[in-house]
Amino acid sequence: MSYVEMPGANVPIRMWADPKTVEGAAMQQLRNVATLPWIKGLAVMPDVHYGKGATVGSVIAMQGAVCPAAVGVDIGCGMSAVRTSLTAADLPDDLSRLRSKIEQAIPVGRGMHEDPVGPGDFHGVPTGGWDDFWGRFDGVADAVKFREERAVKQMGTLGSGNHFVEVCTSSDGAVWLMLHSGSRNIGKELADHHIGVARELPHNQGLVDRDLAVFIADTPQMAAYRNDLFWAQEYAKYNRALMMALLKDVVRKEFKKAAPTFEQEISCHHNYVAEERYDGMDLLVTRKGAIRAGSGDYGIIPGSMGTGSYIVKGLGNEASFNSASHGAGRKMSRNAAKKRFSTQDLEEQTRGVECRKDSGVVDEIPGAYKPIEKVIERQTDLVEVVAKLKQVVCVKG
């Protein structure tokens, strides 16, 4: 499947999504992005849907500028996954104890660790750069420095919304561990602060949508944002690494007799900025709800909590700025899902999955998301499927 090119003010809109299925508000956001003076390219992923300022599921390449709302408020949000030596036959019939142990080890929602965790607490987690990372917290925006204690204790925690920890089985019977989270509250605080700063800058006053306010190169505001952005992306990466370490510890203890081992972890951001070069230009590429899919890059494209997920390998398609979708993508808002579906619907759609089935997660029901298989089918020129996973345990925030 290749892309459909639609006209845009300053760049064409390359769509791997079916234009007929994209809601009108999201299409207008894409047209708005294409009007930005600094834009050099816009690629739209098959899971695209309406977001704040820029759509979720868009890849925006700009020269000398970056739009903080096009990164999203959960800076560095992404996925991690690892294949284990366990097989489906090693799993007990009743998985409730395993879910309970995971929930005890990894704080969810607004929860945090009583005592901070770090790489030194776990065997095999690299400790290099950890002290330097926290040392650079002194350089982030003054407006959020009072959150330092919370940021320290939330490191290695899940959060809420669509974040999750899962135990999955692949089509060949292997057990995989997978999780989805980002930079927790500190990333949101930094994003909100900088979006507010950008909206007030003189060069943003004439934009068609003030939520598309940008920072431009060689300004103190851009320097401050880049500093905090890259720090928050690093926070998100550490956060997932420590959660995976906690998850592995649970699995080692629960399956002591099987002595599980773990292959190399796959980890990818899907709300972030990267410095990349295309057509001889140094660009700032913003992926909001999209993963990097350069040639040979491994990535993770999850479905909803009852459908399954895909491990993929990038094909290096420069038309998409080496990108692919980040998941199934919502087809209705959280409020709409709560009005349409009941807990009974949730139970039916998550049958066979050990997970919460109460009113607090109805907005995450599979029926609120696009079919993951169709999302994968629309990007066969972006990624190849390496493994298909089906969750058997799902922990939600």
Side-chain angles (χ1 to χ4, degrees):
M1 180 66 103
S2 189
Y3 62 89
V4 175
E5 192 164 285
M6 303 184 71
N10 290 329
V11 293
I13 304 170
R14 297 173 183 164
M15 299 195 65
W16 277 263
D18 180 353
K20 298 190 294 293
T21 66
V22 180
E23 70 263 50
M27 282 302 308
Q28 187 56 55
Q29 285 187 318
L30 294 168
R31 295 187 194 100
N32 291 346
V33 168
T35 68
L36 293 173
W38 310 271
I39 194 163
K40 297 299 178 183
L42 173 58
V44 184
M45 300 296 102
D47 58 340
V48 66
H49 58 93
Y50 180 81
K52 181 178 174 61
T55 60
V56 179
S58 58
V59 182
I60 301 168
M62 291 199 282
Q63 190 171 38
V66 68
C67 171
V71 182
V73 293
D74 192 357
I75 298 172
C77 185
M79 301 284 304
S80 292
V82 64
R83 181 182 171 119
T84 79
S85 60
L86 298 173
T87 68
D90 293 312
L91 299 175
D93 292 335
D94 183 354
L95 292 164
S96 59
R97 173 186 163 93
L98 180 58
R99 175 163 77 97
S100 177
K101 290 295 183 180
I102 294 169
E103 290 170 342
Q104 290 171 28
I106 301 175
V108 302
R110 295 189 176 188
M112 59 186 80
H113 293 283
E114 287 187 18
D115 298 311
V117 297
D121 298 324
F122 305 98
H123 174 71
V125 180
T127 58
W130 179 250
D131 292 338
D132 174 69
F133 163 74
W134 278 116
R136 286 187 281 116
F137 187 83
D138 289 339
V140 305
D142 289 338
V144 302
K145 282 185 180 174
F146 72 101
R147 295 291 193 188
E148 181 173 12
E149 183 180 359
R150 186 173 179 181
V152 170
K153 289 188 174 182
Q154 281 194 325
M155 177 66 79
T157 67
L158 184 62
S160 56
N162 62 353
H163 294 161
F164 61 78
V165 176
E166 289 183 345
V167 179
C168 308
T169 58
S170 60
S171 49
D172 65 356
V175 171
W176 287 69
L177 309 180
M178 187 165 68
L179 55 86
H180 171 210
S181 192
S183 52
R184 301 297 284 106
N185 188 67
I186 194 66
K188 181 184 183 301
E189 295 265 358
L190 288 169
D192 287 342
H193 166 73
H194 287 289
I195 288 171
V197 171
R199 284 173 60 89
E200 300 306 316
L201 294 174
H203 62 261
N204 291 318
Q205 301 314 302
L207 298 178
V208 293
D209 183 352
R210 288 276 297 283
D211 282 335
L212 292 176
V214 306
F215 294 117
I216 54 178
D218 303 319
T219 63
Q221 294 90 351
M222 171 69 111
Y225 178 62
R226 283 171 62 104
N227 176 77
D228 294 358
L229 168 77
F230 290 127
W231 184 87
Q233 288 179 183
E234 199 171 348
Y235 183 105
K237 190 173 182 179
Y238 274 122
N239 185 44
R240 290 195 296 274
L242 292 176
M243 273 195 291
M244 186 60 81
L246 288 162
L247 182 56
K248 286 178 180 178
D249 273 359
V250 170
V251 170
R252 286 190 189 100
K253 291 172 183 173
E254 289 301 297
F255 299 93
K256 191 177 295 184
K257 192 173 181 180
T261 57
F262 307 92
E263 294 187 4
Q264 187 171 350
E265 289 177 27
I266 300 167
S267 184
C268 57
H269 290 322
H270 56 223
N271 280 8
Y272 76 113
V273 178
E275 298 168 322
E276 298 177 2
R277 189 171 178 83
Y278 296 94
D279 297 326
M281 295 182 290
D282 292 320
L283 303 176
L284 287 167
V285 178
T286 301
R287 295 183 176 92
K288 182 180 183 180
I291 62 172
R292 178 170 169 82
S295 181
D297 288 341
Y298 281 93
I300 307 160
I301 303 179
S304 62
M305 62 191 287
T307 57
S309 303
Y310 289 84
I311 305 297
V312 298
K313 188 187 290 186
L315 298 176
N317 189 331
E318 293 202 358
S320 72
F321 298 98
N322 291 318
S323 304
S325 77
H326 84 310
R330 298 192 72 91
K331 66 179 181 183
M332 65 179 69
S333 70
R334 294 186 181 279
N335 285 336
K338 289 176 182 177
K339 290 176 182 176
R340 178 168 176 180
F341 296 110
S342 66
T343 54
Q344 184 178 349
D345 295 323
L346 179 64
E347 289 175 8
E348 290 173 358
Q349 292 184 30
T350 59
R351 189 173 287 117
V353 182
E354 173 59 45
C355 64
R356 286 178 60 188
K357 301 178 192 283
D358 57 75
S359 60
V361 291
V362 166
D363 56 350
E364 281 294 300
I365 192 170
Y369 284 84
K370 298 175 183 178
I372 185 63
E373 289 78 15
K374 291 187 177 179
V375 170
I376 294 295
E377 286 171 6
R378 294 198 67 88
Q379 52 189 326
T380 53
D381 60 333
L382 304 182
V383 293
E384 62 175 321
V385 173
V386 174
K388 181 178 180 180
L389 312 182
K390 178 69 175 72
Q391 66 272 79
V392 291
V393 176
C394 178
V395 172
K396 280 284 185 182

